[in-house]
Amino acid sequence: MKASRLRVVAAMLAAGAVVLTGCGSDNPTGETPGADRAYQGEGLAGTLTGVGSSAQASAMNAWKTGFMAEHPGATILYSPDGSGAGRGALLAGAADFAGSDAYLDEKELKLSKEVCGPGGAIDIPVYISPISLAFNIPGVEKLKLDAKTIALIFRNEINNWQHEAIASQNPGVDLPDLKITAVNRSDDSGTTENFTDYLSAAAPKVWPEDPGGTWPTNLQGENAKGNSGVVKVVSNTPGAITYADDSAVDDSVSTVSVKVGDEYVPVTPEAASNAVEEATRVEGRAKHDIALELDRSTTKSGAYPIVLVSYHIVCTQYESEKTVKLLKEFESYVLSRQGQQDAQEAASSAPIPRGLAKQALQAVNSVEVAP
Amino acid sequence: MSKQTSRAGDRIFSTTALMAGVLILVVLFSVAVFLLIQALPAFFADPSEITGGEGFWSYIWPIIVGTVIAAAIALILATPVALGVALFISHYAPRRLSQGLGYVIDLLAAIPSVIYGVWGITFLAVQLEPMYEWLAEYAGWIPIFAGPASATGKTMLTAGIVLAVMILPIITSISREIFLQTPKLHEEAALALGATRWEMIRMTVIPFGRPGVISAVMLGLGRALGETMAVALVLSTGPLILSLIQTGNSTIAAEIALNYPEAYGLRLAELIAAGLLLFIITLAVNMVARWVITRNKDFSGANA
């Protein structure tokens, strides 16, 4: 009787101890103790930790799987906590690389010199995702719109599908007398940032607001959480239109062809790649820092300018030689034709243009061990 | 068993219990301190740097009101239903049915909130949308039903209804347990005096159960105030408006859930400050509830 009671108490204490100590096992250095031992063959070993953009999450999974199949000793960990969280983790030295939908700003670049050596951190574009305009109009499957009309629709200033501005661009399409419900994202997101960036660049007169990750507060509109959330709402609501990462768009909705120059370009991976090919590098950055300035108002034929470019942000110097080796090998895989194809299959992203990939590879190869 | 060992057992148990009690206080206190420290920058930042550009209080005020509105809708809808179900189970239903029903109601509490959220957005909002159109047309003169109704049905009223379903099992199961504890002698005395079953319930069960029902409602309110995922998914957020069937309003928990992943720097401090206020509101609600319960105890008959 007594023994059993003591045993209960002991078990309770032990359980408490496990709970208390269990929280302390975070591993900020990314070195998994067992990883070296587990790997017996030649080649790469160790763990690479990344934190960042959730837009990259499914592509990252594909890269991880592909890379770890080739290098069984290596482990890639990626936690899709968000771009801001990723940059924060890299700058705090808690991650080996960050996934981010925005490149580092001046302040962050300065901060990065404290953790990443004198060269600071560099941005490497790895992932291009087209942003679709998805709509639900019963009986209509194809729709053409220019930037100005899109901006007016999302400002709720055009609020019927039979509006002159829409009808004039879509001759022969039988548009119903239906109220337009424009749906935006309720959460802070890189998709919103790129979409509003497009609107403010391509239709500056009707869209004076600064681009940002959250929808402008002076514009009232329906909203929903996440890419899948907005698409779900649109497919449930006749007359609704939204913007969403192309990977989230399914057959329940149709997508808009956007006016570029004199033609209307439907959303395709190739058209998105074409738009990124037109991008220029932000000036005044380090030699291997590939921060891209997209030309949203491009008139190049066959380019689809509403795209999201996501980066891997890496340090120019790492303490450990093993990390450098692993990082170079991993990023080379990500940028390779195979890696980009993996991402396209998993996340219907667009491949990085080969010219840009070459520059990115040079940037990856410039990473070195801290002296 | 000797006297000696039982005393040792007592000591061990009382120490463990004390530790458990102290641990809770320490955890609660650390949470409060953590929130306060992390939130400080938001309180002292330049008003123009805060989201909305007009300082922290004008940023937070609408979402505090939104939080209270959502919780109020949930309570107003859920409490009568929950009490009805609890009374039915405890005093009206045949024994076999009451057990099954109680089990099903408890099961509602086990459904994850994200499921409620998905149900709300894909089913409930779509079904309610025509009703909102109707309300806007025929009851639009009441400010809370002012049109034009949201075309997606993702409104404060939908969020409140989802919350009501979520807190229903909490209020029901606690009330049911309390009602079952009504002294049989009281009930039999009431019946012997010629009371009908409803009069018996009014005279004995309800006065006896009142403090318990109040704590049940407060527990439900706590869940409604803090519920994050369901509201974040269901509600189409926006600025504070009176109409419950238009797009708009937000709650603290939803605001945090939607913006936290991409927040850093001052924005993070703002969200943590919002969390601190939610913490304080919940604490205040609980303290008021305690006070109401102790005040009511003297008249409940529970101490008879």
Side-chain angles (χ1 to χ4, degrees):
Chain A
M1 185 74 180
K2 179 192 106 186
S4 80
R5 202 185 299 156
L6 278 176
R7 216 175 292 153
V8 169
V9 172
M12 275 165 62
L13 289 175
V18 168
V19 169
L20 287 174
T21 52
C23 311
S25 65
D26 285 356
N27 188 354
T29 57
E31 298 280 344
T32 308
D36 290 359
R37 238 177 311 131
Y39 183 57
Q40 305 282 320
E42 287 176 75
L44 291 165
T47 304
L48 200 63
T49 330
V51 178
S53 159
S54 53
Q56 283 184 32
S58 41
M60 203 66 199
N61 267 332
W63 290 328
K64 252 161 62 176
T65 316
F67 183 73
M68 278 152 72
E70 278 181 27
H71 304 278
T75 309
I76 310 290
L77 298 175
Y78 185 74
S79 103
D81 298 343
S83 301
R87 295 197 298 274
L90 180 80
L91 296 179
D96 297 324
F97 70 94
S100 172
D101 300 342
Y103 50 78
L104 291 172
D105 62 27
E106 295 293 326
K107 210 166 131 196
E108 287 167 327
L109 268 183
K110 214 175 270 171
L111 273 175
S112 74
K113 292 187 176 151
E114 284 168 26
V115 280
C116 290
I122 52 174
D123 304 284
I124 299 169
V126 292
Y127 177 78
I128 301 172
S129 182
I131 298 170
S132 293
L133 289 163
F135 66 92
N136 173 3
I137 312 174
V140 178
E141 277 173 10
K142 282 191 175 141
L143 197 65
K144 298 171 182 171
L145 296 173
D146 61 14
K148 190 182 159 204
T149 315
I150 295 170
L152 287 171
I153 287 176
F154 278 91
R155 299 188 78 87
N156 296 326
E157 280 168 34
I158 292 181
N159 47 26
N160 192 298
W161 285 112
Q162 280 184 340
H163 192 280
E164 170 58 27
I166 302 172
S168 65
Q169 294 181 65
N170 293 279
V173 178
D174 187 19
L175 290 160
D177 178 14
L178 189 63
K179 186 174 163 262
I180 299 182
T181 307
V183 181
N184 59 267
R185 288 277 294 271
S186 58
D187 47 339
D188 194 336
S189 107
T191 314
T192 304
E193 180 152 20
N194 281 280
F195 180 60
T196 49
D197 188 36
Y198 162 74
L199 292 178
S200 73
K205 277 193 195 130
V206 271
W207 198 271
E209 285 84 8
D210 286 331
T214 47
W215 196 247
T217 42
N218 57 323
L219 297 177
Q220 169 66 305
E222 295 278 349
N223 51 37
K225 182 180 184 298
N227 282 310
S228 50
V230 286
V231 172
K232 189 83 220 167
V233 168
V234 168
S235 67
N236 282 339
T237 314
I241 181 167
T242 190
Y243 57 93
D245 198 281
D246 194 44
S247 58
V249 173
D250 53 25
D251 293 339
S252 61
V253 290
S254 315
T255 55
V256 172
S257 297
V258 174
K259 190 173 190 185
V260 178
D262 292 330
E263 52 177 348
Y264 289 89
V265 183
V267 53
T268 58
E270 295 72 36
S273 287
N274 285 345
V276 175
E277 212 157 9
E278 290 295 287
T280 48
R281 283 172 63 167
V282 178
E283 284 174 21
R285 315 268 293 194
K287 185 182 166 210
H288 288 299
D289 189 359
I290 312 177
L292 294 175
E293 189 92 64
L294 288 159
D295 181 11
R296 307 282 190 185
S297 48
T298 179
T299 51
K300 189 195 171 195
S301 115
Y304 183 85
I306 321 176
V307 292
L308 174 152
V309 176
S310 200
Y311 300 86
H312 279 176
I313 302 177
V314 302
C315 286
T316 45
Q317 282 185 353
Y318 289 91
E319 296 284 331
S320 139
E321 194 188 336
K322 214 159 59 181
T323 309
V324 173
K325 243 180 164 169
L326 192 59
L327 183 86
K328 282 185 179 174
E329 202 64 37
F330 177 63
E331 294 301 343
S332 308
Y333 177 81
V334 165
L335 291 162
S336 69
R337 271 177 214 281
Q338 179 65 43
Q340 291 294 313
Q341 200 183 325
D342 288 355
Q344 191 170 350
E345 277 162 23
S348 56
S349 64
I352 299 265
R354 287 328 291 171
L356 185 63
K358 216 171 256 172
Q359 293 176 29
L361 274 175
Q362 283 167 5
V364 168
N365 283 323
S366 74
V367 174
E368 55 186 20
V369 183
Chain B
M1 218 188 292
S2 72
K3 226 174 179 183
Q4 194 66 39
T5 53
S6 104
R7 210 177 278 158
D10 274 356
R11 247 202 324 273
I12 291 172
F13 183 74
S14 79
T15 321
T16 323
L18 179 72
M19 268 163 52
V22 170
L23 186 68
I24 281 295
L25 285 182
V26 169
V27 168
L28 207 63
F29 184 71
S30 329
V31 169
V33 168
F34 166 82
L35 287 176
L36 192 63
I37 291 173
Q38 298 279 313
L40 276 182
F43 294 124
F44 296 113
D46 184 15
S48 62
E49 284 178 21
I50 300 280
T51 307
E54 285 162 34
F56 180 71
W57 295 108
S58 50
Y59 158 72
I60 200 75
W61 171 244
I63 49 179
I64 290 182
V65 177
T67 310
V68 174
I69 295 177
I73 297 175
L75 276 193
I76 291 170
L77 293 177
T79 310
V81 178
L83 293 188
V85 174
L87 274 179
F88 177 72
I89 292 175
S90 66
H91 285 83
Y92 283 92
R95 177 171 291 260
R96 204 179 287 160
L97 182 65
S98 77
Q99 270 176 354
L101 198 60
Y103 180 71
V104 170
I105 297 277
D106 287 349
L107 212 63
L108 276 180
I111 299 174
S113 60
V114 69
I115 303 288
Y116 280 109
V118 171
W119 171 72
I121 185 176
T122 56
F123 178 78
L124 189 66
V126 181
Q127 299 298 316
L128 286 175
E129 196 270 328
M131 195 189 92
Y132 292 157
E133 301 275 1
W134 185 88
L135 276 176
E137 195 164 336
Y138 296 104
W141 51 274
I142 308 173
I144 57 169
F145 296 131
S150 153
T152 58
K154 289 167 56 99
T155 66
M156 200 58 169
L157 194 53
T158 312
I161 293 172
V162 172
L163 282 180
V165 179
M166 294 178 73
I167 65 175
L168 191 67
I170 299 175
I171 306 181
T172 305
S173 59
I174 296 177
S175 305
R176 182 189 64 203
E177 292 304 317
I178 300 281
F179 291 155
L180 282 173
Q181 281 168 21
T182 315
K184 273 277 163 307
L185 281 175
H186 289 198
E187 294 183 5
E188 283 164 7
L191 291 172
L193 287 172
T196 62
R197 191 181 282 194
W198 168 234
E199 284 166 338
M200 179 270 282
I201 286 172
R202 245 179 27 199
M203 285 191 304
T204 64
V205 179
I206 291 181
F208 176 83
R210 193 180 291 139
V213 168
I214 293 173
S215 30
V217 170
M218 288 305 142
L219 268 179
L221 179 60
R223 170 140 203 214
L225 282 175
E227 177 47 45
T228 307
M229 209 52 203
V231 179
L233 284 174
V234 170
L235 189 62
S236 177
T237 54
L240 184 65
I241 47 164
L242 195 55
S243 171
L244 301 178
I245 59 171
Q246 286 180 30
T247 294
N249 290 326
S250 187
T251 73
I252 295 181
E255 175 83 3
I256 296 173
L258 292 173
N259 294 294
Y260 182 78
E262 294 288 334
Y264 54 94
L266 187 60
R267 183 80 181 113
L268 194 60
E270 279 173 27
L271 293 177
I272 291 176
L276 178 68
L277 287 178
L278 185 57
F279 184 80
I280 293 170
I281 293 171
T282 318
L283 215 62
V285 163
N286 272 316
M287 279 158 74
V288 169
R290 293 268 155 208
W291 177 73
V292 171
I293 291 166
T294 45
R295 220 188 48 155
N296 271 319
K297 219 175 227 161
D298 303 339
F299 314 106
S300 70
N303 47 1

